[in-house]
């Protein structure tokens, strides 16, 4: 419900036109959005003051308000309790019209310029930014991709994912938001990217972490194994005598950086024994262990 316009301007119901104008000018100089950028509370109070002045500066509107024929927004009041289909004033935000400010608009002071500027801004308002959320695969965040978003109206937006993008990053597509008014251009589309978890890879800054199982033979004797990376498999050498926890580095196989370089892929080895018992392996290890003193926990626990 709109506030009483007299209360908004801080004047009595018997105030003269000059007193009403003076009160509004005082509030406008204090609350105008151009003087309080980003202050939503001040902006709302300015709108209230502008609406109150628009109503009270018009002698006919003021008289009808004082007689209870219209409310604080300028809308017609019901004539009796059973009258429901009454017409509104057609302008729920009367302050946007500027009709009540004619006596200001022709002057050359700073307040008049602020009002003229505000009126031009409303007539040429930029369109709103539209927000979207786009899930992508982990490998797409590393190597880049082109994705498509389907809009509520059935249209589509093509989104280019730059290589090395991180979870939560917002991409701005200029001019792809809501249309503006008058000469105001359209807003932008803001795409918040959600990188989906990958069962193989994890990211640590610009590096990528991967755990790879190896056999006992590969751990003892070494060998060449295939290792996945976000851009495809590569061959990696496993040194002789590798242990579970041994970490090998694939240089340049991590996330891209600005300037053309990239992080590394860190491959952590895990020794895995056969799932089914192997009598020959058991016999070999039992024979190997005879006469050998080896405690893998020594110095660690």
């Amino acid at each position: 419900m709109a506030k009483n316009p007299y209360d908004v301007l801080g004047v009595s119901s018997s105030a003269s036109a000059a007193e009403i104008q003076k009160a509004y000018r005082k509030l406008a100089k204090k609350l105008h959005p151009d003087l309080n950028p980003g202050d939503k509370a001040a902006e709302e109070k300015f709108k209230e003051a502008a609406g109150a002045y628009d109503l009270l500066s018009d002698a006919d509107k003021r008289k009808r308000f004082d007689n209870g024929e219209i409310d604080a927004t300028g809308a017609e009041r019901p004539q009796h309790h059973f009258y429901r289909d009454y017409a509104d004033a057609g302008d729920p935000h009367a302050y946007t019209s500027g009709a009540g400010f004619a006596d200001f608009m022709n002057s050359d002071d700073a307040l008049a310029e602020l009002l003229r500027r505000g009126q031009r801004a409303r007539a040429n308002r930029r369109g709103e930014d539209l927000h979207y959320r786009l899930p992508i695969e982990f490998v797409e965040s590393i190597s880049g991709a082109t994705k498509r978003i389907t809009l509520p109206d059935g249209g589509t937006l093509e989104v280019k994912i730059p290589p090395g993008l991180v979870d939560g990053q917002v991409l701005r597509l200029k001019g792809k938001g809501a249309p503006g008014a008058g000469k105001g251009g359209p807003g932008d589309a803001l795409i918040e990217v959600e990188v989906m978890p990958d069962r193989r890879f994890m990211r640590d800054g610009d590096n990528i972490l991967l755990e790879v199982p190896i056999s006992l033979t590969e751990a003892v004797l070494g060998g060449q194994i295939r290792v996945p990376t976000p851009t495809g498999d590569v061959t990696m050498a496993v040194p002789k005598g590798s242990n579970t926890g041994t970490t090998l580095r694939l240089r340049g196989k991590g996330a891209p950086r600005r300037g053309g370089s990239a992080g590394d892929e860190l491959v952590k080895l895990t020794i895995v024994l056969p799932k089914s018992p192997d009598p020959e392996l058991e016999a070999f290890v039992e024979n190997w262990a005879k006469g050998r003193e080896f405690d893998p926990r020594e110095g660690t626990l």
Side-chain angles (χ1 to χ4, degrees), residues 74-104:
E76 300 284 345
R77 292 184 182 275
Q79 299 302 306
H80 50 71
H81 292 301
F82 304 101
Y83 183 66
R84 309 182 99 158
D85 300 323
Y86 61 92
D88 62 26
D91 187 5
H93 301 289
Y95 70 89
T96 60
S97 70
F101 310 132
D103 51 345
F104 293 157

Side-chain angles (χ1 to χ4, degrees), residues 131-215:
H131 298 261
Y132 302 95
R133 190 172 183 84
L134 176 64
I136 65 171
E137 300 296 330
F138 180 89
V139 294
E140 293 174 327
S141 74
I142 301 300
S143 58
T146 298
K147 307 290 285 186
R148 184 167 293 174
I149 292 178
T150 301
L151 306 179
D153 62 1
T156 59
L157 276 180
E158 192 171 89
V159 183
K160 290 186 177 181
I161 306 298
L165 177 144
V166 297
D167 182 58
Q169 189 169 333
V170 176
L171 303 176
R172 181 182 293 271
L173 303 184
K174 290 190 175 296
K176 299 299 183 179
K183 296 180 180 179
D188 301 333
L190 303 179
I191 317 295
E192 181 180 354
V193 179
E194 178 185 9
V195 179
M196 306 302 290
D198 191 284
R199 64 180 180 83
R200 302 167 300 171
F201 304 110
M202 289 186 63
R203 184 165 176 171
D204 181 16
D206 293 329
N207 293 331
I208 294 174
L209 311 181
L210 174 69
E211 190 169 295
V212 173
I214 60 173
S215 68

Side-chain angles (χ1 to χ4, degrees), residues 2 5 55 61 64-65 68-77 86 89:
L55 189 149
K61 287 182 181 180
R64 297 190 68 203
F65 174 77
E69 297 175 15
I70 60 175
D71 62 18
T73 68
E76 300 284 345
R77 292 184 182 275
Y86 61 92

